[in-house]
Amino acid sequence: MPNSSSISEFLLLPLADTRQLQLLHFWLLLGIYLAALLGNGLISTAVACDRRLHTPMYFFLLNLALLDLGCISTTLPKAMANALWDTRAISYAGCAAQLFFFTFFICAEYSLLTIMSYDRYVAICKPLHYGTLMDSRACATMAAAAWGAGVLSSLLHTASTFSLPLCQGNVVNQFFCEIPQILKLSCSGYYLREVVFLIFCAILFFGSFVFIVLSYVQIFLAVLRMPSEQGRHKAFSTCLPHLAVVSLFLSTAIYANLKPPSISSPLLDLTVALLYAVVPPTLNPIIYSMRNQEVKNAVSKVINKCVSQTFNCPSFGIHDI
């Protein structure tokens, strides 16, 4: 029976049994990955280059796009390489690094989504105090706190997970290394510490979700009292996409980490993982730009400049907020 000291590599879940399907999955994942890179890259460039978007809301959107790029780049390239080269292996160090960075980007992104709900609450419900509450220092501090929370959480989770003795082999029933699948390999009784830690984090996540919901209740009440139909439309166009992203992200992430083992299956685990690890980074650029005319105009300007000529972007600093 192997233990953690004798494991040099893990075997990830194969996405297909035949070579033809493996290649098909490779091209499918490659298309999704390129779409995510293009979408988040365009939003990042648009926000950085268009001085009209140098506001707190778009500053946080820029951070979200960067986190999405990091999140999907942590999981899909290895899955694509395995599908292309017909292998399942990932080294022990590679698995630990993948779990660390994935946890970092996921936790930082959720912290940022919570901050973004506060930004929308202040902008709509307390517009006279917006300049004071969301000044450049406050925005920089909140963004740094989100990234810092991701680092701290990933360090604790990775250290706790990989300090457990592993007695159930080295087969990870997922296309990337995630905490629930590594816990299934741990010796019976040893994983309770990490499970308790996961529950504690889930409680914090739920507390943040309650904060987000309460913020949006106040936002929608304030929006419905607006006399201007144009003002209501603009408020909804910036708030509804954010609420949709939070709902999809939180529901699938909590389900993936806290679902009962009795209802677990490789297909279900794979579907849920795709919903919270791949779908949000790919769809976020579409969701945030679909109802936001300012973002669409800025992205169109970036595309036109890229097509017509080489251009120089002004540096984007928090002092521009």
Side-chain angles (χ1 to χ4, degrees), residues 32 35-37 39-40 43 61 64-73 75-76 102 105-106 109-110 113 175-176 241-253 270-289:
I32 293 173
L37 292 182
N40 288 289
I43 283 188
L61 183 58
L64 181 66
L66 295 176
L67 289 172
D68 281 336
L69 284 173
C71 182
I72 201 166
S73 296
T75 57
L76 283 196
F102 180 73
F105 288 119
I106 287 291
E109 180 164 333
Y110 187 66
L113 289 172
F175 70 96
F176 66 97
H242 179 261
L243 194 58
V245 169
V246 171
S247 300
L248 175 65
F249 178 81
L250 184 64
S251 59
T252 53
L270 176 62
T271 302
V272 173
L274 289 172
L275 286 176
Y276 83 91
V278 176
V279 173
T282 306
L283 292 185
N284 277 355
I286 300 174
I287 292 174
Y288 276 103
S289 62

Side-chain angles (χ1 to χ4, degrees), residues 71-306:
C71 182
I72 201 166
S73 296
T74 301
T75 57
L76 283 196
K78 181 59 179 176
M80 289 188 295
N82 284 356
L84 182 62
W85 301 112
D86 190 20
T87 181
R88 299 172 55 190
I90 182 173
S91 67
Y92 187 93
C95 184
Q98 192 176 60
L99 188 146
F100 171 84
F101 284 110
F102 180 73
T103 305
F104 160 63
F105 288 119
I106 287 291
C107 292
E109 180 164 333
Y110 187 66
S111 300
L112 188 67
L113 289 172
T114 305
I115 293 170
M116 292 172 73
S117 71
Y118 174 73
D119 170 69
R120 292 298 83 207
Y121 165 76
V122 176
I124 295 174
C125 299
K126 299 180 181 296
L128 298 179
H129 301 283
Y130 188 74
T132 302
L133 295 176
M134 301 299 296
D135 61 4
S136 59
R137 177 174 295 182
C139 290
T141 301
M142 286 187 283
W147 289 78
V151 172
L152 178 61
S153 180
S154 61
L155 281 173
L156 294 175
H157 275 299
T158 305
S160 177
T161 301
F162 281 91
S163 66
L164 300 174
L166 305 180
C167 304
Q168 308 298 326
N170 66 337
V171 178
V172 179
N173 288 321
Q174 190 54 272
F175 70 96
F176 66 97
C177 291
E178 65 172 356
I179 294 173
Q181 300 302 327
I182 301 297
L183 292 182
K184 291 180 181 180
L185 305 180
S186 63
C187 302
S188 178
Y190 283 96
Y191 66 90
L192 289 178
R193 176 184 57 189
E194 176 62 18
V195 169
V196 170
F197 190 36
L198 281 174
I199 293 175
F200 174 73
C201 290
I203 293 173
L204 293 180
F205 270 44
F206 182 74
S208 297
F209 181 70
V210 170
F211 174 82
I212 292 172
V213 170
L214 292 177
S215 297
Y216 274 99
V217 168
Q218 296 296 320
I219 288 172
F220 290 145
L221 290 176
V223 169
L224 293 175
R225 291 194 296 265
M226 289 181 177
S228 169
E229 182 177 350
Q230 183 178 0
R232 290 196 299 268
H233 179 269
K234 184 175 181 179
F236 279 126
S237 68
T238 59
C239 293
L240 290 179
H242 179 261
L243 194 58
V245 169
V246 171
S247 300
L248 175 65
F249 178 81
L250 184 64
S251 59
T252 53
I254 288 183
Y255 182 80
N257 287 277
L258 297 181
K259 66 180 180 298
S262 58
I263 63 173
S264 179
S265 69
L267 179 60
L268 179 62
D269 292 344
L270 176 62
T271 302
V272 173
L274 289 172
L275 286 176
Y276 83 91
V278 176
V279 173
T282 306
L283 292 185
N284 277 355
I286 300 174
I287 292 174
Y288 276 103
S289 62
M290 185 169 51
R291 293 177 58 88
N292 192 311
Q293 192 61 43
E294 292 178 324
V295 174
K296 287 192 288 188
N297 291 339
V299 169
S300 298
K301 185 186 296 184
V302 169
I303 294 175
N304 291 335
K305 286 187 177 181
C306 287

